[in-house]
Amino acid sequence: MTGSHRDAGYHVWAVAGLPEVRKGDDLARLIADAAPDLADGDVLLVTSKIVSKAEGRVVEAADREAAIDAETVRVVARRGPLRIVENRQGLVMAAAGVDASNTPSGTVLLLPEDPDASARSIRDGLRDALGVEVGVLVTDTFGRPWRTGLTDVAIGAAGVRVTDDLRGGQDAHGNPLTATVVATADELAAAGELVKGNTAGLPVAVVRGLPHLVTAQDGRGARELVREARDDMFRLGTSEAVREAVTGRRTVRSFTDEPVDPQAVRRAVAAAVTAPAPHHTTPWRFVLLESPESRTRLLDAMRDAWIADLRGDGKSEESIAKRIRRGDVLRNAPYLAVPCLVTDGAHTYGDARRDGAEREMFVVATGAGVQNFLVALSGERLGSAWVSSTMFCRDVVREVLDLPADWDPMGAVAIGHPAGEPRPRPERDADAFVEVR
């Protein structure tokens, strides 16, 4: 098979003659015996199954699901019995890479414990056996989001440029390349799969003609190809994303100076107004304070009103100063939102019990909207803190913000980019909050 890469021709072929690999076999020696003509600059593509067998990663498992559980670090998505998970190697794949094929009945085959170390070991062994400097990739078969079918990718690497970073260069038309990082190791792995095949019994392939991809040092390995969590926009499946958005929402009280994207807040408002509400009403209004002047004017007026209330309660000046400092989370935030309740469409019954219950329905609906808002902000990677203070001086807030008389401010939400990681959330036993009848 031929092709081109940077105007260089290359050849890919499968290595024939390898015996059945068993635990404890010297895989590098077996490959050297089957491919004694390996040359400097070749890239060796080794199917992970034979690496796992040589390393004794065949384990007894009457229940494959239990083996998958043991290898799973995080469930990414689940549909029926199928699970996409992050495994111990940091790879996101179906069934944690646990394989029940090509292994004796009652056993399963796990991925190599450290595929990069496996690649380094094979590379060192081939250097000792044949005196050659080759690159080594350990490969496995993956499915891909949004694409039908499987392909081989690199899960371990030694002596191979696993990525080709083209950022900073230009395309053929002179346009700057700002996001192009080529997954070279995966391209090589896929090329090898074309000649190895899943059923041909040819677990090793060689690519020759691309010596510029082979490096003197072992390098960082295929771990370089695993996208870090903070950069992964598609980290979760649907149900897991919803659950993570809710449980991952945290109160953030310290923010960086990085500006907040107003459109991100508006997207959060769009999520907020999907909350349930009584009588087909829309009881939510969000006042967005995007200028420092508007925030300062509101918070100064609220502070003055709060001080007056505290003095009326007989609090000492020291106590007042301490309480006022609690409002710093709003003052230090680069963006504020004031959610308001509007009871348009509320029914009037003429007795306190039913009229009180009617208002409570609208308050609950507003709370649901605020929760949607906070969760959506978290999804936008913005921190937030809901503070109830505007509820204690509604007339002041309405006056400063020039709001209609029937808008009831329901707290304020400080919004910004978190200045650090939040403290771990205390564990709560859900059963402690449940009564079954």
Side-chain angles (χ1 to χ4, degrees):
M1 183 173 301
T2 62
S4 65
H5 185 95
R6 294 188 177 179
D7 300 324
Y10 67 90
H11 305 273
V12 186
W13 70 92
V15 174
L18 281 166
E20 178 69 22
V21 176
R22 304 184 186 283
K23 179 180 179 180
D25 282 348
D26 183 340
L27 198 52
R29 170 51 62 185
L30 294 180
I31 295 171
D33 290 343
D37 57 346
L38 284 174
D40 290 341
D42 287 348
V43 179
L44 199 70
L45 311 169
V46 184
T47 301
S48 64
K49 283 185 176 64
I50 65 169
V51 178
S52 295
K53 289 179 178 180
E55 295 179 356
R57 296 285 283 168
V58 179
V59 298
E60 293 186 5
D63 181 3
R64 180 172 178 247
E65 295 302 310
I68 295 171
D69 289 340
E71 292 297 301
T72 295
V73 172
R74 176 177 63 91
V75 175
V76 174
R78 184 192 304 267
R79 180 171 295 172
L82 176 64
R83 282 183 283 172
I84 307 298
V85 306
E86 179 183 346
N87 64 16
R88 296 180 182 276
Q89 291 80 7
L91 303 170
V92 175
M93 59 193 309
V98 175
D99 194 348
S101 63
N102 298 311
T103 185
S105 177
T107 67
V108 294
L109 192 61
L110 310 181
L111 289 178
E113 189 168 352
D114 184 345
D116 286 327
S118 302
R120 292 193 297 270
S121 177
I122 295 170
R123 189 187 196 209
D124 290 343
L126 290 171
R127 184 187 297 116
D128 293 341
L130 300 176
V132 293
E133 288 292 343
V134 299
V136 176
L137 296 179
V138 176
T139 70
D140 200 75
T141 305
F142 274 50
R144 298 151 300 150
W146 312 294
R147 304 286 288 181
T148 298
L150 305 172
T151 186
D152 262 22
V153 303
I155 66 170
V160 178
R161 290 173 52 193
V162 298
T163 61
D164 192 4
D165 191 345
L166 303 180
R167 292 173 296 183
Q170 294 182 337
D171 65 15
H173 298 282
N175 300 309
L177 298 173
T178 60
T180 304
V181 180
V182 178
T184 308
D186 285 348
E187 292 182 325
L188 291 166
E193 176 60 13
L194 290 174
V195 295
K196 290 189 295 180
N198 278 323
T199 59
L202 298 169
V204 177
V206 179
V207 176
R208 177 169 293 170
L210 301 175
H212 61 279
L213 298 180
V214 176
T215 61
Q217 304 300 318
D218 287 335
R220 292 176 54 194
R223 291 288 299 186
E224 186 179 334
L225 292 165
V226 178
R227 194 184 301 275
E228 294 187 15
R230 66 174 180 270
D231 298 323
D232 190 350
M233 295 175 65
F234 311 102
R235 183 168 170 79
L236 301 170
T238 304
S239 60
E240 290 75 21
V242 172
R243 185 163 53 250
E244 176 69 16
V246 174
T247 60
R249 186 216 61 79
R250 303 295 303 277
T251 295
V252 175
R253 300 183 180 276
S254 180
F255 305 98
T256 70
D257 295 331
E258 183 179 352
V260 171
D261 178 7
Q263 294 307 312
V265 179
R266 283 163 174 74
R267 289 192 293 271
V269 171
V273 300
T274 65
H279 313 316
H280 306 289
T281 59
T282 55
W284 322 276
R285 303 291 186 274
F286 287 84
V287 184
L288 307 182
L289 280 64
E290 296 184 343
S291 71
E293 294 77 18
S294 65
R295 296 192 295 273
T296 298
R297 187 168 63 251
L298 173 64
L299 295 176
D300 284 351
M302 288 172 56
R303 179 196 59 203
D304 294 343
W306 196 8
I307 289 174
D309 283 346
L310 292 171
R311 284 175 177 163
D313 292 338
K315 301 297 183 182
S316 69
E317 293 302 311
E318 180 181 358
S319 174
I320 291 173
K322 183 177 180 180
R323 290 166 183 263
I324 292 299
R325 284 196 295 273
R326 295 176 185 170
D328 285 349
V329 62
L330 295 178
R331 196 170 290 274
N332 296 334
Y335 197 110
L336 291 183
V338 178
C340 296
L341 163 65
V342 177
T343 56
D344 287 348
H347 295 175
T348 301
Y349 298 97
D351 71 76
R353 178 180 62 82
R354 288 195 290 174
D355 286 343
E358 184 75 6
R359 177 174 173 80
E360 285 179 354
M361 289 197 303
F362 279 79
V363 171
V364 169
T366 303
V370 171
Q371 173 70 355
N372 277 10
F373 184 60
L374 299 176
V375 169
L377 288 172
S378 178
E380 296 282 350
R381 300 182 71 179
L382 290 169
S384 65
W386 177 79
V387 180
S388 62
S389 53
T390 67
M391 300 170 68
F392 292 89
C393 53
R394 284 176 170 145
D395 289 340
V396 171
V397 176
R398 279 191 286 259
E399 180 180 356
V400 172
L401 298 181
D402 192 24
L403 303 181
D406 62 345
W407 286 29
D408 282 345
M410 303 294 285
V413 179
I415 302 170
H417 295 274
E421 292 294 325
R423 288 179 295 182
R425 186 190 297 275
E427 290 291 334
R428 291 174 179 168
D429 180 6
D431 288 341
F433 302 89
V434 173
E435 292 290 338
V436 179
R437 297 290 186 266

